[in-house]
Amino acid sequence: MELILKGYDLKLKHTFRISRKSIDFQPSLIVELRDHNFSGFGEATSNPYYNITIEILQNDIEQIRSLVENTNSETPEEFWNKISPFLKDNPFALCALDNAYNDLYARKKDEKLYELWNYDISHNPLTNYTIGIGSIENMIAKMKELPWPIYKIKLGTPEDIAIVTELRKHSDAIFRVDANCAWTVDETLSNAEILKNLNVEFIEQPLKANDWEGQKEVFKHSVLPIIADESCITESDVAKCYNHFHGVNIKLMKCGGITPGRRMIAEAKKLGLKTMVGCMTESTVGISAIAHLLPELDYVDMDGPLLLAEDIASGVTIKNGKTFYPDRTGTGVILF
């Protein structure tokens, strides 16, 4: 098996801002695993919050090149178990490799990934479209630029309630809000009361990731469901979220790929938690992997390609929130 690495700078349509950063380009690394006539693709993006750069991704993957290239007929689970000890400090790199191997494995079996897992795609959830922090005028303009059935609104400013109140005047779509760890317990409980009246569906990660005591208070008293993001990174975090959150937003790059992501989804369902998978402003490469998990999810945030000025691949397409799969095996990805 041959390992091929390609770096990209994904240009965004608009400056994307959340409570802790703003970006115009999203650096991304594409991993291709090639076995004769078959290729599988995975992706990892850089992320300063987790100290992940493209150089670090490349260096860490290069350290296990021979291990990867000497893989033959292992299942995806066996492959993940083989490489994960060497990438325990870099789940983003592990994710790119794991997703690429899952893609390759399904292609060699001549099946779409969701077919390999025996998933039924007939009731897939719609994906939201994210509105980053900006002036209220700019946020309204982004909504008008792309009318959508569900918007996720990034918050974490002194004007959060004013923002949602004004946006609600311009759309009847479902709203979700994501505070990215920027609120206190009192702010969350107070804001939830107002946001419920503005037909907001849920609040994502209002408190700092390690504020478990505060989150327990919010869980007990919030009038809106609370979904974990930064508090739910790895498999062991799912159990911690029980009785602290109503659901979990799993990021494949944070947990190390599709293989552990599926285990986290299964664990969350056992605990009665709502399941969601989110994206990290990936191209269609990463989003196409997420798309095959849709039958197991209550919510999904896979709008990465919709935020890009230019994509780098063909794969799943998204129209008005609905996902359409290409007539190709694996994840269906082809690089341009």
Side-chain angles (χ1 to χ4, degrees):
M1 188 165 68
E2 183 183 2
L3 168 64
I4 301 162
L5 303 177
K6 298 177 184 176
Y8 294 87
D9 273 334
L10 306 176
K11 187 179 187 328
L12 305 183
K13 285 180 185 173
H14 306 286
T15 298
F16 187 73
R17 184 180 161 211
I18 62 174
S19 62
R20 56 177 175 261
K21 68 172 183 176
S22 64
I23 57 172
D24 293 294
F25 288 86
Q26 176 59 70
S28 177
L29 181 70
I30 302 299
V31 169
E32 178 182 356
L33 296 178
R34 186 179 295 169
D35 188 0
H36 296 93
N37 295 326
F38 298 99
S39 283
F41 299 94
E43 179 174 16
T45 56
S46 68
N47 193 293
Y49 184 77
Y50 294 99
N51 193 33
I52 297 294
T53 66
I54 299 303
E55 183 180 18
I56 289 171
L57 287 168
Q58 290 174 323
N59 288 344
D60 285 356
I61 292 172
E62 286 293 349
Q63 295 297 315
I64 58 168
R65 174 177 285 276
S66 60
L67 186 69
V68 170
E69 294 191 329
N70 287 325
T71 298
N72 292 310
S73 57
E74 287 96 329
T75 65
E77 292 79 10
E78 288 167 342
F79 176 72
W80 191 88
N81 288 336
K82 182 168 82 168
I83 66 171
S84 61
F86 301 94
L87 293 171
K88 61 182 184 296
D89 296 323
N90 194 337
F92 285 60
L94 180 56
C95 171
L97 286 164
D98 179 59
N99 289 6
Y101 192 81
N102 271 276
D103 183 17
L104 176 65
Y105 187 83
R107 292 186 198 228
K108 290 166 73 174
K109 296 284 187 183
D110 198 31
E111 290 187 288
K112 294 180 172 67
L113 204 46
Y114 70 78
E115 292 172 336
L116 188 69
W117 298 331
N118 295 313
Y119 286 173
D120 176 5
I121 63 169
S122 61
H123 301 290
N124 283 355
L126 301 180
T127 182
N128 57 232
Y129 178 71
T130 304
I131 306 295
I133 294 172
S135 69
I136 291 177
E137 293 75 21
N138 284 343
M139 295 174 83
I140 292 169
K142 288 176 186 175
M143 286 173 52
K144 290 185 174 178
E145 179 182 271
L146 190 65
W148 209 252
I150 309 171
Y151 291 110
K152 182 159 91 166
I153 303 160
K154 292 287 189 176
L155 299 176
T157 79
E159 292 82 36
D160 285 344
I161 296 301
I163 287 171
V164 181
T165 301
E166 190 59 34
L167 295 187
R168 177 49 77 201
K169 295 176 186 176
H170 298 270
S171 175
D172 292 327
I174 294 169
F175 281 1
R176 300 164 177 170
V177 302
D178 183 359
N180 280 115
C181 310
W183 293 350
T184 64
V185 170
D186 289 343
E187 280 178 306
T188 303
L189 295 176
S190 173
N191 288 347
E193 298 274 359
I194 301 167
L195 294 171
K196 184 178 181 181
N197 291 328
L198 291 168
N199 286 329
V200 167
E201 186 177 26
F202 63 69
I203 299 169
E204 189 175 328
Q205 196 66 47
L207 309 183
K208 286 183 170 54
N210 60 355
D211 188 1
W212 292 99
E213 282 303 309
Q215 189 51 57
K216 198 164 190 179
E217 282 301 300
V218 168
F219 175 78
K220 284 181 186 175
H221 302 295
S222 174
V223 297
L224 283 178
I226 309 294
I227 307 296
D229 182 359
E230 285 86 350
S231 294
C232 188
I233 306 298
T234 63
E235 293 183 63
S236 62
D237 292 330
V238 176
K240 292 182 193 174
C241 289
Y242 180 67
N243 279 340
H244 290 81
F245 293 90
H246 301 90
V248 292
N249 182 3
I250 297 161
K251 302 285 181 66
L252 300 185
M253 284 185 223
K254 295 181 186 180
C255 73
I258 285 176
T259 299
R262 290 180 70 210
R263 294 195 294 256
M264 290 174 75
I265 292 167
E267 175 72 6
K269 284 177 174 291
K270 283 181 190 174
L271 294 171
L273 294 165
K274 292 290 187 181
T275 57
M276 179 176 181
V277 167
C279 64
M280 309 278 280
T281 322
E282 298 102 308
S283 74
T284 287
V285 177
I287 296 306
S288 293
I290 292 172
H292 289 262
L293 295 169
L294 286 175
E296 291 293 287
L297 305 180
D298 296 297
Y299 317 115
V300 69
D301 174 12
M302 47 181 277
D303 61 355
L306 304 173
L307 303 174
L308 301 181
E310 198 171 276
D311 208 340
I312 59 171
S314 168
V316 300
T317 55
I318 301 167
K319 296 176 184 176
N320 202 35
K322 188 174 180 181
T323 301
F324 297 87
Y325 299 86
D327 189 21
R328 294 189 290 268
T329 55
T331 63
V333 164
I334 296 175
L335 288 183
F336 293 146

